[in-house]
Amino acid sequence: MLEPLNEGFLSRISDLLMCRWSCRHCCQKCYESSCCQSSEDEVEILGPFPAQTPPWLMASRSSEKDGDSVHTASDVPLTPRTNSPDGRRSSSDTSKSTYSLTRRISSLESRRPSSPLIDIKPIEFGVLSAKKEPIQPSVLRRTYTPDDYFRKFEPRLYSLDSSSDDVDSLTDEEILSRYQLGMLHFSTQYDLLHNHLTVRVIEARDLPPPISQDGARQDLAHSNPYVKICLLPDQKNSKQTAVKRKTQKPVFEERYTFEIPFLEAQRRTLLLTVVDFDKFSRHCVIGKVSVPLCEVDLVKGGHWWKALIPSSQNEVELGELLLSLNYLPSAGRLNVDIIRAKQLLQTDVSQGSDPFVKIQLVHGLKLVKTKKTSFLRGTIDPFYNESFSFKVPQEELENASLVFTVFGHNMKSSNDFIGRIVIGQYSSGPSESNHWRRMLNTHRTAVEQWHSLRSRAECDRVSPASLEVT
């Protein structure tokens, strides 16, 4: 015979499972915890509600105690609790307790404040459709000052070489058909054993006929071309071939070496400039070829035919002159040393030049003294190392000017003018003024400086002392 189930135990279990609140000691009268009369701190929350007792529950407890008797009397009649002889709760007690618990839970849910409704619009991700207009952010416009405005200019875009980017994208045939300046044949090779770069200028072809700027050229059918070679950015240490007379297809076959480390050579650009020699006027640049050495195999070497492109430098440099100045206040002597010159303008087609330097002392606007160096035959890079001394009292030093003129010696006619500079009171440029100022500040000490030669017209325009000499 099986014993009947303990109905009192089942009622307790049902109360425990159906209720959200339970007493931590006996699990009876879980809502009010009247079985143990414990404080609120001993009540444990087992449901999804927060651990802290909500304010609305505290207010409902006081009203529940006041109205509990009314609800019980009117809705559910109270009946005395009767226990069975074995101490078990009857089935009627179980149904009453379940009904009472259900009413209490429903009353609590009705008193619980409702949460506020929040209207949240869905967020749309992805590409906007064609019907919707995207909102563009406002752009803050900056007001530019004049300094900011001119800082945006790029001078290279406005130079004559600004088309170099377009030329790089063209082939040699396209360049030749566009400019029609001819082609140049050359080769390069680097010697790792001796650390020098060899440039061989072989020949040129299809050069254009010469252009006379002042009408003084007699032969307008043939050119007298030669080639200048340099490694950019250094244009001072350049070399040049011999002049080939009256030909548009010159054959040079000349080699030149540049003492330069291998890594430095890879950072340079080989510049070959074809120039037309003119004895009676400035030499005219026909065209140029530039080759970045980082783009070629220097050790293996190679030779190329390259089309000539126009150059922004229409005229050739006249050359440079190295001078040394020294003034002795006690003796009242102005000492001048003519040391050397380089890359002078060639005045003779066959043998280069026979250059010499004329030095003239001008006091105010009056020519006082003239001296000159010896001439050196067949060179454009002469070494003089000659000294000259002029008597200039210290009170007259501020009004003195020195005019240096380089000529090419010519026995059949007048000497050929190459270039000129003026140093002193009426200097021909900033470089000359700086050299004179340094000499005045350092008496009894020689001051050396390189000077670029200028044309006669340029010196006459800026220096009155140049007009007083021949």
Side-chain angles (χ1 to χ4, degrees):
M1 296 292 295
L2 295 176
E3 295 182 359
L5 295 177
N6 191 349
E7 296 181 356
F9 176 77
L10 292 178
S11 63
R12 293 185 181 183
I13 292 299
S14 63
D15 292 343
L16 177 62
L17 294 177
M18 296 180 62
C19 183
R20 295 184 178 182
W21 303 87
S22 62
C23 177
R24 68 173 62 179
H25 294 288
C26 61
C27 298
Q28 291 184 358
K29 297 287 185 178
C30 58
Y31 180 74
E32 298 179 356
S33 299
S34 58
C35 58
C36 301
Q37 298 296 331
S38 60
S39 62
E40 295 180 358
D41 297 336
E42 296 181 358
V43 178
E44 183 178 4
I45 300 175
L46 299 179
F49 299 101
Q52 186 178 0
T53 305
W56 59 270
L57 183 58
M58 300 297 296
S60 64
R61 287 185 178 181
S62 59
S63 60
E64 179 71 20
K65 291 180 180 180
D66 297 338
D68 187 34
S69 58
V70 177
H71 290 290
T72 304
S74 59
D75 298 334
V76 182
L78 293 177
T79 56
R81 181 181 299 177
T82 57
N83 295 334
S84 58
D86 55 356
R88 298 178 182 177
R89 180 179 295 182
S90 62
S91 60
S92 61
D93 295 338
T94 304
S95 60
K96 291 180 180 180
S97 61
T98 303
Y99 176 77
S100 177
L101 180 60
T102 304
R103 287 186 55 85
R104 291 179 181 179
I105 291 176
S106 61
S107 63
L108 288 177
E109 293 293 338
S110 61
R111 295 191 185 101
R112 182 177 179 178
S114 60
S115 301
L117 297 178
I118 302 176
D119 186 11
I120 301 179
K121 295 182 179 180
I123 302 175
E124 297 181 0
F125 295 94
V127 182
L128 294 175
S129 62
K131 297 181 179 180
K132 297 183 179 180
E133 297 181 358
I135 300 176
Q136 298 294 336
S138 60
V139 180
L140 297 178
R141 298 185 178 273
R142 176 184 174 187
T143 57
Y144 288 94
T145 61
D147 293 338
D148 295 334
Y149 179 77
F150 289 106
R151 193 179 294 116
K152 297 176 64 177
F153 281 106
E154 297 184 16
R156 65 178 182 84
L157 299 179
Y158 304 94
S159 63
L160 294 179
D161 291 337
S162 60
S163 60
S164 60
D165 295 338
D166 299 334
V167 172
D168 293 339
S169 61
L170 300 178
T171 62
D172 289 331
E173 291 76 10
E174 294 173 343
I175 295 175
L176 184 61
S177 61
R178 174 183 292 188
Y179 300 109
Q180 299 181 355
L181 297 177
M183 301 189 72
L184 182 65
H185 189 196
F186 63 96
S187 66
T188 61
Q189 188 170 17
Y190 189 85
D191 189 350
L192 292 175
L193 183 61
H194 300 91
N195 291 329
H196 66 254
L197 176 67
T198 302
V199 179
R200 177 188 172 200
V201 182
I202 303 174
E203 60 179 325
R205 70 184 183 190
D206 300 330
L207 298 181
I211 299 177
S212 179
Q213 303 291 343
D214 53 3
R217 180 128 186 179
Q218 298 178 357
D219 185 6
L220 296 179
H222 300 90
S223 300
N224 300 316
Y226 66 94
V227 181
K228 297 192 70 173
I229 309 103
C230 67
L231 298 178
L232 298 178
D234 183 13
Q235 297 187 12
K236 303 299 182 182
N237 298 321
S238 61
K239 305 179 185 295
Q240 74 177 47
T241 66
V243 179
K244 302 301 177 180
R245 301 183 60 182
K246 297 182 179 181
T247 177
Q248 309 306 118
K249 299 179 181 180
V251 178
F252 299 101
E253 284 295 345
E254 299 183 22
R255 297 173 183 267
Y256 301 92
T257 59
F258 294 88
E259 301 290 338
I260 184 173
F262 179 74
L263 295 179
E264 180 64 23
Q266 290 184 318
R267 292 192 287 265
R268 298 295 186 91
T269 299
L270 176 63
L271 177 63
L272 302 170
T273 306
V274 182
V275 186
D276 183 17
F277 173 86
D278 188 355
K279 181 178 178 62
F280 301 101
S281 64
R282 297 290 292 272
H283 297 187
C284 180
V285 177
I286 299 176
K288 69 175 183 178
V289 172
S290 59
V291 179
L293 297 181
C294 61
E295 299 178 359
V296 299
D297 189 349
L298 295 178
V299 179
K300 183 179 179 181
H303 60 89
W304 303 271
W305 277 100
K306 291 289 185 180
L308 297 175
I309 63 174
S311 175
S312 60
Q313 182 182 0
N314 295 326
E315 296 180 347
V316 183
E317 298 290 337
L318 301 177
E320 292 185 281
L321 185 63
L322 179 59
L323 305 175
S324 175
L325 301 179
N326 179 22
Y327 183 73
L328 301 177
S330 58
R333 308 294 297 184
L334 178 60
N335 299 324
V336 179
D337 295 335
I338 308 296
I339 302 174
R340 61 168 297 194
K342 65 179 181 180
Q343 295 302 308
L344 296 178
L345 186 68
Q346 189 169 341
T347 58
D348 194 299
V349 176
S350 59
Q351 57 181 6
S353 298
D354 301 331
F356 68 93
V357 182
K358 181 186 288 188
I359 308 102
Q360 296 170 295
L361 175 64
V362 178
H363 184 266
L365 296 178
K366 182 181 179 181
L367 178 61
V368 177
K369 194 73 173 179
T370 299
K371 297 183 180 183
K372 64 180 180 179
T373 67
S374 58
F375 66 90
L376 302 179
R377 292 186 179 275
T379 179
I380 59 174
D381 300 306
F383 285 83
Y384 295 104
N385 290 324
E386 298 184 24
S387 299
F388 304 91
S389 181
F390 298 91
K391 186 172 180 59
V392 180
Q394 189 170 5
E395 59 273 10
E396 299 179 1
L397 185 62
E398 295 182 354
N399 298 325
S401 298
L402 289 172
V403 181
F404 299 87
T405 307
V406 182
F407 290 95
H409 180 69
N410 193 336
M411 297 182 63
K412 298 181 180 180
S413 61
S414 60
N415 295 325
D416 301 319
F417 177 88
I418 295 179
R420 171 179 292 175
I421 60 170
V422 182
I423 300 178
Q425 180 186 12
Y426 301 109
S427 296
S428 56
S431 176
E432 294 85 341
S433 299
N434 182 42
H435 194 182
W436 184 258
R437 192 181 308 109
R438 289 169 57 199
M439 185 208 66
L440 295 178
N441 296 333
T442 56
H443 290 168
R444 302 182 182 86
T445 302
V447 181
E448 295 183 4
Q449 185 171 326
W450 281 99
H451 296 277
S452 297
L453 296 177
R454 306 174 185 270
S455 64
R456 189 196 302 269
E458 183 179 358
C459 291
D460 292 346
R461 185 173 62 252
V462 299
S463 175
S466 179
L467 297 173
E468 302 300 322
V469 301
T470 57

